[in-house]
Amino acid sequence: MSRTVLITGATGTVSTALMKALDGADVDLRTLVRDASKGTGKVFAGDLGDPRSLPPAFEGVQDVWLLVPNGPRAPEHNMNALWAARQAGVERVVRLSVIGAAHDAPNRSGRLHALSDQETERSGLRWTILRPHYFMQNLLNEAGDIAATGTFSLNMAAARIGLIDARDIAECAARVLLDDPDRHHGRTYTLTGPRSLTFDEVAGELGRALGRSVTYRQVSDEVKRGSLVGYGVPEWIADMLEEYARAYASGWGDLTTGTVADLLGRPPRDLAGFARDHAAAFS
Ligand SMILES: NC(=O)c1ccc[n+]([C@@H]2O[C@H](COP(=O)([O-])OP(=O)(O)OC[C@H]3O[C@@H](n4cnc5c(N)ncnc54)[C@H](OP(=O)(O)O)[C@@H]3O)[C@@H](O)[C@H]2O)c1
């Protein structure tokens, strides 16, 4: 009999790609969304911040894909989902965490994810944790500037980052969800792209895909923060991004792993492919 899989974060980057990756597989998919009009397929309305809204979505589910958005309430959202899962007799949770999640991570996102990773590990459910690196899709935030000026500005200095295409994260999640529940139980996978790149190299790859020059401009934390807040990014998120930028500028993100290839049996997507596939967005 098909297993029933509940997808959280269903309108976001990774979960949308996950639903595509699971398309046609022998699973019974359902989604948890805050606004039911935004969901596709078998939709359950619910808010991870409101535990009373969750039981109907979790009832009869075997597997939960657990993605909690960044924010100060992230551990509470994870806790509410795990509690609903336990109450409903869910068998397995596959959780999206973040690269370097640890109690001493140099950024609040990594420290908050560490709390939820630990709670998940002790939940009594079967669990697998994915810790992906910086998403290539973050570059889409710079698409407007790149299209308009051929430049993008970050406070990452000469950082080198093993950035990953979110579609590969989704395919790794699909692989885990489609394998036997015991196969990946108790495993934490650090997922990266194939190469650690500077943003000058990123600009070069984007330029080659777009057939015109793209330049990376290094800016200060203050300049980047001013522009993010100007675009309406909440202060908490701007602070979090600044902590990441500092960590990356100091070399913290300069790593790659072979885990995507181990899970998928093929190398991870590279930036050239990402740039080609998203050329329209940058033009
Ligand atoms: N960006 C990176 O480089 C990076 C790297 C590693 C890990 N991560 C992790 O990836 C996660 C974000 O993934 P993403 O970029 O795919 O997400 P995203 O595109 O930002 O989407 C967030 C999703 O969460 C939903 N959501 C927000 N608040 C909710 C609530 N209270 N209850 C239920 N659902 C809620 C949103 O639904 P609505 O439509 O209702 O808003 C949306 O579907 C974070 O945990 C982050 O730490 C990110």
Side-chain angles (χ1 to χ4, degrees):
M1 210 175 77
S2 300
R3 294 175 72 84
T4 299
V5 181
L6 174 65
I7 307 288
T8 62
T11 60
T13 305
V14 178
S15 299
T16 302
L18 173 59
M19 288 188 285
K20 265 192 204 143
L22 289 172
D23 193 29
D26 180 25
V27 286
D28 183 13
L29 272 191
R30 60 168 78 169
T31 57
L32 179 84
V33 291
R34 288 191 290 183
D35 174 353
S37 71
K38 285 203 212 160
T40 50
K42 215 176 274 178
V43 174
F44 286 76
D47 187 323
L48 292 172
D50 174 9
R52 283 170 307 184
S53 71
L54 300 179
F58 285 75
E59 202 53 52
V61 165
Q62 279 82 51
D63 300 312
V64 172
W65 164 248
L66 182 50
L67 182 150
V68 298
N70 274 314
R73 291 183 67 188
E76 183 191 351
H77 291 169
N78 196 80
M79 175 188 77
N80 289 340
L82 284 183
W83 184 248
R86 290 170 77 135
Q87 299 302 107
V90 165
E91 292 171 23
R92 164 172 62 174
V93 173
V94 182
R95 192 184 118 71
L96 186 76
S97 177
V98 72
I99 188 100
H103 298 311
D104 62 352
N107 44 68
R108 63 190 67 187
S109 172
R111 295 193 294 274
L112 289 174
H113 271 300
L115 297 175
S116 295
D117 286 353
Q118 202 170 46
E119 188 193 18
T120 304
E121 290 162 13
R122 295 180 181 179
S123 65
L125 309 175
R126 289 193 189 85
W127 60 269
T128 305
I129 292 171
L130 306 185
R131 290 188 178 157
H133 212 324
Y134 184 95
F135 299 174
M136 292 181 189
Q137 278 73 4
N138 295 342
L139 296 167
L140 294 169
N141 296 327
E142 315 305 322
D145 281 355
I146 291 170
T149 67
T151 67
F152 63 101
S153 303
L154 296 172
N155 50 339
M156 300 275 198
R160 216 171 242 294
I161 298 182
L163 66 186
I164 181 170
D165 192 317
R167 294 173 295 182
D168 283 341
I169 304 166
E171 285 182 35
C172 289
R175 178 74 271 137
V176 171
L177 285 163
L178 294 175
D179 278 343
D180 183 90
D182 286 328
R183 173 126 183 226
H184 304 277
H185 169 55
R187 305 295 299 272
T188 298
Y189 294 123
T190 294
L191 307 176
T192 74
R195 284 177 60 210
S196 194
L197 299 173
T198 65
F199 284 96
D200 283 330
E201 290 168 335
V202 167
E205 293 288 6
L206 289 173
R208 267 185 288 285
L210 300 178
R212 60 189 171 82
S213 152
V214 175
T215 306
Y216 163 51
R217 288 178 53 223
Q218 295 186 22
V219 295
S220 67
D221 290 342
E222 292 67 33
V223 167
K224 188 64 192 175
R225 182 190 180 75
S227 119
L228 288 171
V229 173
Y231 279 119
V233 171
E235 296 270 348
W236 193 96
I237 298 287
D239 289 343
M240 179 198 82
L241 293 173
E242 189 171 312
E243 290 163 358
Y244 267 118
R246 287 193 183 163
Y248 288 144
S250 76
W252 186 77
D254 184 8
L255 76 146
T256 57
T257 67
T259 312
V260 170
D262 291 344
L263 283 169
L264 301 183
R266 60 152 180 87
R269 289 173 168 88
D270 62 12
L271 193 78
F274 168 83
R276 276 195 303 275
D277 293 346
H278 295 83
F282 291 106
S283 300

